[in-house]
Amino acid sequence: GENVEQHPSTLSVQEGDSAVIKCTYSDSASNYFPWYKQELGKGPQLIIDIRSNVGEKKDQRIAVTLNKTAKHFSLHITETQPEDSAVYFCAASRDSNYQLIWGAGTKLIIKP
Amino acid sequence: GAVVSQHPSRVICKSGTSVKIECRSLDFQATTMFWYRQFPKQSLMLMATSNEGSKATYEQGVEKDKFLINHASLTLSTLTVTSAHPEDSSFYICSAESLGGAGTQYFGPGTRLLVL
């Protein structure tokens, strides 16, 4: 079945540096790719998403890139801050009425 | 905008009792709501998808008679864990997809269930 692979499982970066998390999906019909941030004991929070008609999207320190040919997409966080520490999940779906296929998550640790 | 609430945030119950969890979309109407279960340090596992006014669609391996889902309105879905047992202890999270939302899911804060 469809799956999404996410790497790395844990990422530790110095405060102020950039962090990159990568995901690869298997379903070529996927056209919607959200990223969620989950803090301990809380529900996931949508931080950015991208659809297959664009290759990159930015929102302040966060950006997502999509390569449909290679079937992978990445989350980029610049100028990392302690509050960026959390677990980040990527997901893929075929759009409305289809379930999200989730990555396994990346624990991001920002070292002060 | 796009706020989803869940109640209760945590619940402790005795084995054999039933527990109801409510999921509400506060500022939008949700055509579809999803119920997930998450174990520690793991990703989210979809349990079921519910559309307002129709029966929920359960994922393989999820017992529909044990996890009763009701989606009576465009802003409320409930999950009832019937005859709960310790192995049902988990973090339950709902999400809602807005009318015309093109697949974007907004998540509730989750409900921590502990069955003794």
Side-chain angles (χ1 to χ4, degrees), chain A residues 32 36 38 41-44 46 49 51 89 95-97 99-100 102-104, chain B residues 32 36 38 42-44 46 59 91 93 97 101-109:
Chain A
Y32 174 63
Y36 287 88
Q38 186 177 28
K42 298 183 179 180
L46 179 69
D49 57 11
R51 298 186 187 275
F89 291 97
D95 218 333
S96 187
N97 296 320
Q99 64 171 288
L100 288 171
W102 293 84
Chain B
T32 306
Y36 293 84
Q38 187 178 34
Q42 292 190 22
S43 189
L44 285 78
L46 181 64
E59 295 301 300
F91 192 49
I93 316 171
E97 182 181 306
T104 301
Q105 291 184 32
Y106 298 95
F107 282 81

PDB file of all heavy atoms in Angstrom, chain A residues 32 36 38 41-44 46 49 51 89 95-97 99-100 102-104, chain B residues 32 36 38 42-44 46 59 91 93 97 101-109:
ATOM      1  N   TYR A  32      -1.246  16.424  -2.241  1.00  0.00           N
ATOM      2  CA  TYR A  32      -1.345  17.349  -1.105  1.00  0.00           C
ATOM      3  C   TYR A  32      -0.383  16.881  -0.025  1.00  0.00           C
ATOM      4  O   TYR A  32      -0.401  15.701   0.370  1.00  0.00           O
ATOM      5  CB  TYR A  32      -2.781  17.396  -0.580  1.00  0.00           C
ATOM      6  CG  TYR A  32      -2.935  18.222   0.674  1.00  0.00           C
ATOM      7  CD1 TYR A  32      -2.663  19.591   0.666  1.00  0.00           C
ATOM      8  CD2 TYR A  32      -3.334  17.649   1.865  1.00  0.00           C
ATOM      9  CE1 TYR A  32      -2.777  20.351   1.816  1.00  0.00           C
ATOM     10  CE2 TYR A  32      -3.455  18.393   3.021  1.00  0.00           C
ATOM     11  CZ  TYR A  32      -3.182  19.740   2.994  1.00  0.00           C
ATOM     12  OH  TYR A  32      -3.299  20.498   4.129  1.00  0.00           O
ATOM     13  N   TYR A  36       3.128  18.817   9.951  1.00  0.00           N
ATOM     14  CA  TYR A  36       2.553  19.097  11.256  1.00  0.00           C
ATOM     15  C   TYR A  36       3.648  19.112  12.310  1.00  0.00           C
ATOM     16  O   TYR A  36       4.613  18.358  12.258  1.00  0.00           O
ATOM     17  CB  TYR A  36       1.511  18.038  11.626  1.00  0.00           C
ATOM     18  CG  TYR A  36       0.212  18.137  10.854  1.00  0.00           C
ATOM     19  CD1 TYR A  36       0.058  17.490   9.635  1.00  0.00           C
ATOM     20  CD2 TYR A  36      -0.857  18.874  11.354  1.00  0.00           C
ATOM     21  CE1 TYR A  36      -1.132  17.576   8.925  1.00  0.00           C
ATOM     22  CE2 TYR A  36      -2.049  18.967  10.654  1.00  0.00           C
ATOM     23  CZ  TYR A  36      -2.174  18.316   9.440  1.00  0.00           C
ATOM     24  OH  TYR A  36      -3.362  18.404   8.748  1.00  0.00           O
ATOM     25  N   GLN A  38       4.125  18.632  16.421  1.00  0.00           N
ATOM     26  CA  GLN A  38       3.435  18.130  17.598  1.00  0.00           C
ATOM     27  C   GLN A  38       4.313  18.290  18.824  1.00  0.00           C
ATOM     28  O   GLN A  38       5.401  17.713  18.894  1.00  0.00           O
ATOM     29  CB  GLN A  38       3.035  16.662  17.423  1.00  0.00           C
ATOM     30  CG  GLN A  38       2.171  16.145  18.579  1.00  0.00           C
ATOM     31  CD  GLN A  38       1.696  14.714  18.389  1.00  0.00           C
ATOM     32  OE1 GLN A  38       2.354  13.905  17.724  1.00  0.00           O
ATOM     33  NE2 GLN A  38       0.551  14.382  18.960  1.00  0.00           N
ATOM     34  N   GLY A  41       2.296  15.875  24.416  1.00  0.00           N
ATOM     35  CA  GLY A  41       0.983  15.877  25.042  1.00  0.00           C
ATOM     36  C   GLY A  41      -0.072  16.702  24.332  1.00  0.00           C
ATOM     37  O   GLY A  41      -1.166  16.910  24.865  1.00  0.00           O
ATOM     38  N   LYS A  42       0.249  17.161  23.118  1.00  0.00           N
ATOM     39  CA  LYS A  42      -0.700  17.987  22.375  1.00  0.00           C
ATOM     40  C   LYS A  42      -1.016  17.369  21.016  1.00  0.00           C
ATOM     41  O   LYS A  42      -0.332  16.461  20.556  1.00  0.00           O
ATOM     42  CB  LYS A  42      -0.134  19.390  22.178  1.00  0.00           C
ATOM     43  CG  LYS A  42       0.113  20.153  23.474  1.00  0.00           C
ATOM     44  CD  LYS A  42       0.602  21.552  23.194  1.00  0.00           C
ATOM     45  CE  LYS A  42       0.815  22.325  24.485  1.00  0.00           C
ATOM     46  NZ  LYS A  42       1.304  23.707  24.237  1.00  0.00           N
ATOM     47  N   GLY A  43      -2.060  17.879  20.384  1.00  0.00           N
ATOM     48  CA  GLY A  43      -2.393  17.425  19.049  1.00  0.00           C
ATOM     49  C   GLY A  43      -1.489  18.063  18.014  1.00  0.00           C
ATOM     50  O   GLY A  43      -0.854  19.092  18.272  1.00  0.00           O
ATOM     51  N   PRO A  44      -1.386  17.470  16.825  1.00  0.00           N
ATOM     52  CA  PRO A  44      -0.558  18.049  15.762  1.00  0.00           C
ATOM     53  C   PRO A  44      -1.096  19.400  15.308  1.00  0.00           C
ATOM     54  O   PRO A  44      -2.307  19.604  15.233  1.00  0.00           O
ATOM     55  CB  PRO A  44      -0.660  17.016  14.640  1.00  0.00           C
ATOM     56  CG  PRO A  44      -1.109  15.759  15.297  1.00  0.00           C
ATOM     57  CD  PRO A  44      -1.978  16.190  16.437  1.00  0.00           C
ATOM     58  N   LEU A  46      -0.908  22.115  12.164  1.00  0.00           N
ATOM     59  CA  LEU A  46      -0.484  22.340  10.786  1.00  0.00           C
ATOM     60  C   LEU A  46       0.417  23.573  10.721  1.00  0.00           C
ATOM     61  O   LEU A  46       0.044  24.650  11.171  1.00  0.00           O
ATOM     62  CB  LEU A  46      -1.707  22.558   9.893  1.00  0.00           C
ATOM     63  CG  LEU A  46      -1.439  22.831   8.418  1.00  0.00           C
ATOM     64  CD1 LEU A  46      -0.896  21.581   7.735  1.00  0.00           C
ATOM     65  CD2 LEU A  46      -2.711  23.299   7.709  1.00  0.00           C
ATOM     66  N   ASP A  49       1.745  23.659   4.267  1.00  0.00           N
ATOM     67  CA  ASP A  49       1.368  22.597   3.345  1.00  0.00           C
ATOM     68  C   ASP A  49       1.634  23.046   1.923  1.00  0.00           C
ATOM     69  O   ASP A  49       1.825  24.239   1.657  1.00  0.00           O
ATOM     70  CB  ASP A  49      -0.095  22.167   3.527  1.00  0.00           C
ATOM     71  CG  ASP A  49      -1.088  23.310   3.358  1.00  0.00           C
ATOM     72  OD1 ASP A  49      -0.684  24.407   2.898  1.00  0.00           O
ATOM     73  OD2 ASP A  49      -2.274  23.126   3.693  1.00  0.00           O
ATOM     74  N   ARG A  51       0.740  21.959  -2.373  1.00  0.00           N
ATOM     75  CA  ARG A  51       0.014  21.140  -3.330  1.00  0.00           C
ATOM     76  C   ARG A  51       0.880  20.947  -4.559  1.00  0.00           C
ATOM     77  O   ARG A  51       1.827  21.705  -4.778  1.00  0.00           O
ATOM     78  CB  ARG A  51      -1.336  21.780  -3.664  1.00  0.00           C
ATOM     79  CG  ARG A  51      -2.215  21.879  -2.438  1.00  0.00           C
ATOM     80  CD  ARG A  51      -3.618  22.362  -2.682  1.00  0.00           C
ATOM     81  NE  ARG A  51      -4.290  22.568  -1.400  1.00  0.00           N
ATOM     82  CZ  ARG A  51      -4.914  21.613  -0.704  1.00  0.00           C
ATOM     83  NH1 ARG A  51      -4.957  20.385  -1.190  1.00  0.00           N
ATOM     84  NH2 ARG A  51      -5.465  21.880   0.454  1.00  0.00           N
ATOM     85  N   PHE A  89       5.830  15.875  11.706  1.00  0.00           N
ATOM     86  CA  PHE A  89       5.316  14.802  10.855  1.00  0.00           C
ATOM     87  C   PHE A  89       5.026  15.339   9.455  1.00  0.00           C
ATOM     88  O   PHE A  89       4.418  16.406   9.310  1.00  0.00           O
ATOM     89  CB  PHE A  89       4.008  14.236  11.412  1.00  0.00           C
ATOM     90  CG  PHE A  89       4.155  13.464  12.691  1.00  0.00           C
ATOM     91  CD1 PHE A  89       3.907  14.059  13.910  1.00  0.00           C
ATOM     92  CD2 PHE A  89       4.530  12.122  12.660  1.00  0.00           C
ATOM     93  CE1 PHE A  89       4.026  13.341  15.091  1.00  0.00           C
ATOM     94  CE2 PHE A  89       4.657  11.397  13.834  1.00  0.00           C
ATOM     95  CZ  PHE A  89       4.407  12.015  15.059  1.00  0.00           C
ATOM     96  N   ASP A  95      -5.787  14.396  -1.674  1.00  0.00           N
ATOM     97  CA  ASP A  95      -6.698  15.532  -1.583  1.00  0.00           C
ATOM     98  C   ASP A  95      -7.950  15.139  -0.810  1.00  0.00           C
ATOM     99  O   ASP A  95      -7.964  14.141  -0.112  1.00  0.00           O
ATOM    100  CB  ASP A  95      -7.034  16.094  -2.970  1.00  0.00           C
ATOM    101  CG  ASP A  95      -7.131  17.608  -2.965  1.00  0.00           C
ATOM    102  OD1 ASP A  95      -7.455  18.149  -1.892  1.00  0.00           O
ATOM    103  OD2 ASP A  95      -6.889  18.245  -3.997  1.00  0.00           O
ATOM    104  N   SER A  96      -9.006  15.906  -0.975  1.00  0.00           N
ATOM    105  CA  SER A  96     -10.192  15.763  -0.157  1.00  0.00           C
ATOM    106  C   SER A  96     -10.756  14.346  -0.204  1.00  0.00           C
ATOM    107  O   SER A  96     -10.700  13.673  -1.229  1.00  0.00           O
ATOM    108  CB  SER A  96     -11.243  16.759  -0.645  1.00  0.00           C
ATOM    109  OG  SER A  96     -12.348  16.769   0.198  1.00  0.00           O
ATOM    110  N   ASN A  97     -11.279  13.905   0.930  1.00  0.00           N
ATOM    111  CA  ASN A  97     -11.916  12.590   1.073  1.00  0.00           C
ATOM    112  C   ASN A  97     -10.941  11.423   1.041  1.00  0.00           C
ATOM    113  O   ASN A  97     -11.356  10.268   1.082  1.00  0.00           O
ATOM    114  CB  ASN A  97     -13.008  12.374   0.017  1.00  0.00           C
ATOM    115  CG  ASN A  97     -14.159  13.346   0.183  1.00  0.00           C
ATOM    116  OD1 ASN A  97     -14.561  13.632   1.301  1.00  0.00           O
ATOM    117  ND2 ASN A  97     -14.667  13.849  -0.911  1.00  0.00           N
ATOM    118  N   GLN A  99      -7.545   9.686   2.972  1.00  0.00           N
ATOM    119  CA  GLN A  99      -6.841   9.788   4.240  1.00  0.00           C
ATOM    120  C   GLN A  99      -5.418  10.277   4.026  1.00  0.00           C
ATOM    121  O   GLN A  99      -4.833  10.124   2.956  1.00  0.00           O
ATOM    122  CB  GLN A  99      -6.813   8.432   4.951  1.00  0.00           C
ATOM    123  CG  GLN A  99      -6.042   7.361   4.215  1.00  0.00           C
ATOM    124  CD  GLN A  99      -5.857   6.119   5.077  1.00  0.00           C
ATOM    125  OE1 GLN A  99      -5.071   6.150   6.023  1.00  0.00           O
ATOM    126  NE2 GLN A  99      -6.560   5.060   4.765  1.00  0.00           N
ATOM    127  N   LEU A 100      -4.876  10.881   5.073  1.00  0.00           N
ATOM    128  CA  LEU A 100      -3.479  11.259   5.074  1.00  0.00           C
ATOM    129  C   LEU A 100      -2.629  10.027   5.355  1.00  0.00           C
ATOM    130  O   LEU A 100      -2.943   9.239   6.234  1.00  0.00           O
ATOM    131  CB  LEU A 100      -3.218  12.309   6.152  1.00  0.00           C
ATOM    132  CG  LEU A 100      -3.754  13.723   5.920  1.00  0.00           C
ATOM    133  CD1 LEU A 100      -3.599  14.558   7.182  1.00  0.00           C
ATOM    134  CD2 LEU A 100      -3.041  14.381   4.756  1.00  0.00           C
ATOM    135  N   TRP A 102       0.870   9.067   6.797  1.00  0.00           N
ATOM    136  CA  TRP A 102       1.797   9.776   7.672  1.00  0.00           C
ATOM    137  C   TRP A 102       3.206   9.211   7.624  1.00  0.00           C
ATOM    138  O   TRP A 102       3.405   7.998   7.520  1.00  0.00           O
ATOM    139  CB  TRP A 102       1.296   9.698   9.121  1.00  0.00           C
ATOM    140  CG  TRP A 102       0.027  10.444   9.350  1.00  0.00           C
ATOM    141  CD1 TRP A 102      -1.235   9.990   9.120  1.00  0.00           C
ATOM    142  CD2 TRP A 102      -0.107  11.775   9.831  1.00  0.00           C
ATOM    143  NE1 TRP A 102      -2.149  10.962   9.434  1.00  0.00           N
ATOM    144  CE2 TRP A 102      -1.489  12.067   9.885  1.00  0.00           C
ATOM    145  CE3 TRP A 102       0.803  12.756  10.240  1.00  0.00           C
ATOM    146  CZ2 TRP A 102      -1.981  13.296  10.318  1.00  0.00           C
ATOM    147  CZ3 TRP A 102       0.303  13.975  10.675  1.00  0.00           C
ATOM    148  CH2 TRP A 102      -1.060  14.237  10.706  1.00  0.00           C
ATOM    149  N   GLY A 103       4.172  10.116   7.768  1.00  0.00           N
ATOM    150  CA  GLY A 103       5.535   9.698   8.035  1.00  0.00           C
ATOM    151  C   GLY A 103       5.651   9.307   9.505  1.00  0.00           C
ATOM    152  O   GLY A 103       4.738   9.531  10.296  1.00  0.00           O
ATOM    153  N   ALA A 104       6.789   8.739   9.858  1.00  0.00           N
ATOM    154  CA  ALA A 104       6.990   8.228  11.216  1.00  0.00           C
ATOM    155  C   ALA A 104       7.344   9.322  12.205  1.00  0.00           C
ATOM    156  O   ALA A 104       7.333   9.079  13.415  1.00  0.00           O
ATOM    157  CB  ALA A 104       8.072   7.156  11.210  1.00  0.00           C
TER     158      ALA A 104
ATOM    159  N   THR B  32     -16.006  16.217   7.105  1.00  0.00           N
ATOM    160  CA  THR B  32     -15.398  14.960   7.490  1.00  0.00           C
ATOM    161  C   THR B  32     -14.582  15.144   8.748  1.00  0.00           C
ATOM    162  O   THR B  32     -13.878  16.143   8.890  1.00  0.00           O
ATOM    163  CB  THR B  32     -14.473  14.435   6.361  1.00  0.00           C
ATOM    164  OG1 THR B  32     -15.214  14.368   5.143  1.00  0.00           O
ATOM    165  CG2 THR B  32     -13.932  13.061   6.696  1.00  0.00           C
ATOM    166  N   TYR B  36      -7.992   9.418  15.381  1.00  0.00           N
ATOM    167  CA  TYR B  36      -6.690   8.778  15.381  1.00  0.00           C
ATOM    168  C   TYR B  36      -6.373   8.276  16.791  1.00  0.00           C
ATOM    169  O   TYR B  36      -6.882   8.773  17.797  1.00  0.00           O
ATOM    170  CB  TYR B  36      -5.597   9.778  14.989  1.00  0.00           C
ATOM    171  CG  TYR B  36      -5.630  10.280  13.568  1.00  0.00           C
ATOM    172  CD1 TYR B  36      -6.446  11.357  13.205  1.00  0.00           C
ATOM    173  CD2 TYR B  36      -4.828   9.709  12.583  1.00  0.00           C
ATOM    174  CE1 TYR B  36      -6.459  11.839  11.898  1.00  0.00           C
ATOM    175  CE2 TYR B  36      -4.830  10.181  11.287  1.00  0.00           C
ATOM    176  CZ  TYR B  36      -5.636  11.244  10.958  1.00  0.00           C
ATOM    177  OH  TYR B  36      -5.646  11.728   9.667  1.00  0.00           O
ATOM    178  N   GLN B  38      -2.751   7.371  19.021  1.00  0.00           N
ATOM    179  CA  GLN B  38      -1.299   7.526  18.973  1.00  0.00           C
ATOM    180  C   GLN B  38      -0.680   6.923  20.227  1.00  0.00           C
ATOM    181  O   GLN B  38      -1.020   7.311  21.351  1.00  0.00           O
ATOM    182  CB  GLN B  38      -0.923   9.008  18.864  1.00  0.00           C
ATOM    183  CG  GLN B  38       0.560   9.249  18.629  1.00  0.00           C
ATOM    184  CD  GLN B  38       0.882  10.719  18.483  1.00  0.00           C
ATOM    185  OE1 GLN B  38       0.260  11.577  19.112  1.00  0.00           O
ATOM    186  NE2 GLN B  38       1.877  11.051  17.641  1.00  0.00           N
ATOM    187  N   GLN B  42       5.216   7.276  18.637  1.00  0.00           N
ATOM    188  CA  GLN B  42       4.819   6.724  17.349  1.00  0.00           C
ATOM    189  C   GLN B  42       4.008   7.744  16.555  1.00  0.00           C
ATOM    190  O   GLN B  42       3.587   8.776  17.079  1.00  0.00           O
ATOM    191  CB  GLN B  42       3.997   5.449  17.549  1.00  0.00           C
ATOM    192  CG  GLN B  42       4.816   4.304  18.103  1.00  0.00           C
ATOM    193  CD  GLN B  42       4.056   2.989  18.072  1.00  0.00           C
ATOM    194  OE1 GLN B  42       3.103   2.820  17.311  1.00  0.00           O
ATOM    195  NE2 GLN B  42       4.485   2.048  18.894  1.00  0.00           N
ATOM    196  N   SER B  43       3.818   7.416  15.301  1.00  0.00           N
ATOM    197  CA  SER B  43       3.026   8.286  14.440  1.00  0.00           C
ATOM    198  C   SER B  43       1.541   8.091  14.725  1.00  0.00           C
ATOM    199  O   SER B  43       1.154   7.259  15.541  1.00  0.00           O
ATOM    200  CB  SER B  43       3.347   7.983  12.979  1.00  0.00           C
ATOM    201  OG  SER B  43       2.747   8.937  12.126  1.00  0.00           O
ATOM    202  N   LEU B  44       0.716   8.865  14.059  1.00  0.00           N
ATOM    203  CA  LEU B  44      -0.724   8.754  14.251  1.00  0.00           C
ATOM    204  C   LEU B  44      -1.273   7.565  13.463  1.00  0.00           C
ATOM    205  O   LEU B  44      -0.877   7.339  12.323  1.00  0.00           O
ATOM    206  CB  LEU B  44      -1.417  10.027  13.774  1.00  0.00           C
ATOM    207  CG  LEU B  44      -1.282  11.249  14.673  1.00  0.00           C
ATOM    208  CD1 LEU B  44       0.062  11.905  14.507  1.00  0.00           C
ATOM    209  CD2 LEU B  44      -2.402  12.238  14.389  1.00  0.00           C
ATOM    210  N   LEU B  46      -4.706   6.107  11.960  1.00  0.00           N
ATOM    211  CA  LEU B  46      -6.098   6.413  11.669  1.00  0.00           C
ATOM    212  C   LEU B  46      -6.990   5.260  12.107  1.00  0.00           C
ATOM    213  O   LEU B  46      -6.736   4.106  11.762  1.00  0.00           O
ATOM    214  CB  LEU B  46      -6.280   6.670  10.174  1.00  0.00           C
ATOM    215  CG  LEU B  46      -7.695   7.028   9.718  1.00  0.00           C
ATOM    216  CD1 LEU B  46      -8.146   8.355  10.313  1.00  0.00           C
ATOM    217  CD2 LEU B  46      -7.775   7.066   8.192  1.00  0.00           C
ATOM    218  N   GLU B  59     -10.935   1.699   9.789  1.00  0.00           N
ATOM    219  CA  GLU B  59      -9.734   1.099   9.208  1.00  0.00           C
ATOM    220  C   GLU B  59      -9.647  -0.370   9.600  1.00  0.00           C
ATOM    221  O   GLU B  59     -10.243  -0.819  10.588  1.00  0.00           O
ATOM    222  CB  GLU B  59      -8.500   1.852   9.682  1.00  0.00           C
ATOM    223  CG  GLU B  59      -8.433   3.294   9.185  1.00  0.00           C
ATOM    224  CD  GLU B  59      -8.442   3.368   7.673  1.00  0.00           C
ATOM    225  OE1 GLU B  59      -7.524   2.799   7.043  1.00  0.00           O
ATOM    226  OE2 GLU B  59      -9.363   4.019   7.112  1.00  0.00           O
ATOM    227  N   PHE B  91      -3.550   7.815  23.499  1.00  0.00           N
ATOM    228  CA  PHE B  91      -3.826   9.222  23.210  1.00  0.00           C
ATOM    229  C   PHE B  91      -4.725   9.239  21.975  1.00  0.00           C
ATOM    230  O   PHE B  91      -4.328   8.747  20.916  1.00  0.00           O
ATOM    231  CB  PHE B  91      -2.508   9.947  22.960  1.00  0.00           C
ATOM    232  CG  PHE B  91      -2.590  11.451  22.917  1.00  0.00           C
ATOM    233  CD1 PHE B  91      -3.240  12.159  23.919  1.00  0.00           C
ATOM    234  CD2 PHE B  91      -1.990  12.165  21.892  1.00  0.00           C
ATOM    235  CE1 PHE B  91      -3.306  13.545  23.900  1.00  0.00           C
ATOM    236  CE2 PHE B  91      -2.046  13.560  21.858  1.00  0.00           C
ATOM    237  CZ  PHE B  91      -2.710  14.249  22.863  1.00  0.00           C
ATOM    238  N   ILE B  93      -6.877  11.348  19.214  1.00  0.00           N
ATOM    239  CA  ILE B  93      -6.887  12.681  18.614  1.00  0.00           C
ATOM    240  C   ILE B  93      -7.886  12.699  17.463  1.00  0.00           C
ATOM    241  O   ILE B  93      -7.936  11.761  16.666  1.00  0.00           O
ATOM    242  CB  ILE B  93      -5.510  13.067  18.043  1.00  0.00           C
ATOM    243  CG1 ILE B  93      -4.377  12.704  19.008  1.00  0.00           C
ATOM    244  CG2 ILE B  93      -5.456  14.561  17.720  1.00  0.00           C
ATOM    245  CD1 ILE B  93      -2.996  12.869  18.409  1.00  0.00           C
ATOM    246  N   GLU B  97     -11.962  18.242   8.695  1.00  0.00           N
ATOM    247  CA  GLU B  97     -11.690  18.816   7.388  1.00  0.00           C
ATOM    248  C   GLU B  97     -12.862  19.722   7.041  1.00  0.00           C
ATOM    249  O   GLU B  97     -14.013  19.310   7.089  1.00  0.00           O
ATOM    250  CB  GLU B  97     -11.556  17.700   6.348  1.00  0.00           C
ATOM    251  CG  GLU B  97     -11.226  18.162   4.951  1.00  0.00           C
ATOM    252  CD  GLU B  97     -11.139  16.991   3.986  1.00  0.00           C
ATOM    253  OE1 GLU B  97     -10.383  16.049   4.274  1.00  0.00           O
ATOM    254  OE2 GLU B  97     -11.824  17.022   2.951  1.00  0.00           O
ATOM    255  N   GLY B 101     -12.517  22.354   2.012  1.00  0.00           N
ATOM    256  CA  GLY B 101     -11.173  22.556   2.533  1.00  0.00           C
ATOM    257  C   GLY B 101     -10.094  21.847   1.751  1.00  0.00           C
ATOM    258  O   GLY B 101      -8.928  21.955   2.101  1.00  0.00           O
ATOM    259  N   ALA B 102     -10.469  21.076   0.762  1.00  0.00           N
ATOM    260  CA  ALA B 102      -9.498  20.450  -0.132  1.00  0.00           C
ATOM    261  C   ALA B 102      -8.454  19.622   0.601  1.00  0.00           C
ATOM    262  O   ALA B 102      -7.282  19.661   0.260  1.00  0.00           O
ATOM    263  CB  ALA B 102      -8.827  21.499  -1.002  1.00  0.00           C
ATOM    264  N   GLY B 103      -8.885  18.903   1.604  1.00  0.00           N
ATOM    265  CA  GLY B 103      -8.003  17.945   2.240  1.00  0.00           C
ATOM    266  C   GLY B 103      -7.272  18.429   3.462  1.00  0.00           C
ATOM    267  O   GLY B 103      -6.611  17.642   4.122  1.00  0.00           O
ATOM    268  N   THR B 104      -7.344  19.699   3.808  1.00  0.00           N
ATOM    269  CA  THR B 104      -6.615  20.187   4.982  1.00  0.00           C
ATOM    270  C   THR B 104      -7.312  19.739   6.257  1.00  0.00           C
ATOM    271  O   THR B 104      -8.500  19.978   6.442  1.00  0.00           O
ATOM    272  CB  THR B 104      -6.528  21.714   4.953  1.00  0.00           C
ATOM    273  OG1 THR B 104      -5.866  22.122   3.757  1.00  0.00           O
ATOM    274  CG2 THR B 104      -5.746  22.231   6.150  1.00  0.00           C
ATOM    275  N   GLN B 105      -6.561  19.075   7.129  1.00  0.00           N
ATOM    276  CA  GLN B 105      -7.107  18.595   8.394  1.00  0.00           C
ATOM    277  C   GLN B 105      -6.573  19.444   9.543  1.00  0.00           C
ATOM    278  O   GLN B 105      -5.366  19.692   9.627  1.00  0.00           O
ATOM    279  CB  GLN B 105      -6.724  17.130   8.634  1.00  0.00           C
ATOM    280  CG  GLN B 105      -7.408  16.155   7.693  1.00  0.00           C
ATOM    281  CD  GLN B 105      -7.088  14.712   8.016  1.00  0.00           C
ATOM    282  OE1 GLN B 105      -6.882  14.355   9.190  1.00  0.00           O
ATOM    283  NE2 GLN B 105      -7.036  13.873   7.002  1.00  0.00           N
ATOM    284  N   TYR B 106      -7.471  19.817  10.427  1.00  0.00           N
ATOM    285  CA  TYR B 106      -7.109  20.568  11.629  1.00  0.00           C
ATOM    286  C   TYR B 106      -7.370  19.674  12.830  1.00  0.00           C
ATOM    287  O   TYR B 106      -8.428  19.060  12.939  1.00  0.00           O
ATOM    288  CB  TYR B 106      -7.909  21.866  11.717  1.00  0.00           C
ATOM    289  CG  TYR B 106      -7.629  22.788  10.542  1.00  0.00           C
ATOM    290  CD1 TYR B 106      -8.463  22.785   9.428  1.00  0.00           C
ATOM    291  CD2 TYR B 106      -6.513  23.612  10.538  1.00  0.00           C
ATOM    292  CE1 TYR B 106      -8.193  23.594   8.335  1.00  0.00           C
ATOM    293  CE2 TYR B 106      -6.246  24.441   9.454  1.00  0.00           C
ATOM    294  CZ  TYR B 106      -7.078  24.417   8.356  1.00  0.00           C
ATOM    295  OH  TYR B 106      -6.809  25.214   7.272  1.00  0.00           O
ATOM    296  N   PHE B 107      -6.397  19.605  13.710  1.00  0.00           N
ATOM    297  CA  PHE B 107      -6.443  18.632  14.794  1.00  0.00           C
ATOM    298  C   PHE B 107      -6.889  19.242  16.116  1.00  0.00           C
ATOM    299  O   PHE B 107      -6.601  20.405  16.419  1.00  0.00           O
ATOM    300  CB  PHE B 107      -5.067  17.998  14.981  1.00  0.00           C
ATOM    301  CG  PHE B 107      -4.762  16.949  13.955  1.00  0.00           C
ATOM    302  CD1 PHE B 107      -4.317  17.308  12.692  1.00  0.00           C
ATOM    303  CD2 PHE B 107      -4.938  15.606  14.236  1.00  0.00           C
ATOM    304  CE1 PHE B 107      -4.055  16.339  11.727  1.00  0.00           C
ATOM    305  CE2 PHE B 107      -4.671  14.632  13.286  1.00  0.00           C
ATOM    306  CZ  PHE B 107      -4.232  15.005  12.036  1.00  0.00           C
ATOM    307  N   GLY B 108      -7.549  18.399  16.909  1.00  0.00           N
ATOM    308  CA  GLY B 108      -7.851  18.754  18.271  1.00  0.00           C
ATOM    309  C   GLY B 108      -6.633  18.541  19.157  1.00  0.00           C
ATOM    310  O   GLY B 108      -5.616  17.994  18.704  1.00  0.00           O
ATOM    311  N   PRO B 109      -6.732  18.922  20.424  1.00  0.00           N
ATOM    312  CA  PRO B 109      -5.591  18.814  21.341  1.00  0.00           C
ATOM    313  C   PRO B 109      -5.355  17.407  21.875  1.00  0.00           C
ATOM    314  O   PRO B 109      -4.348  17.164  22.540  1.00  0.00           O
ATOM    315  CB  PRO B 109      -5.970  19.773  22.474  1.00  0.00           C
ATOM    316  CG  PRO B 109      -7.451  19.792  22.464  1.00  0.00           C
ATOM    317  CD  PRO B 109      -7.862  19.648  21.026  1.00  0.00           C
TER     318      PRO B 109
END
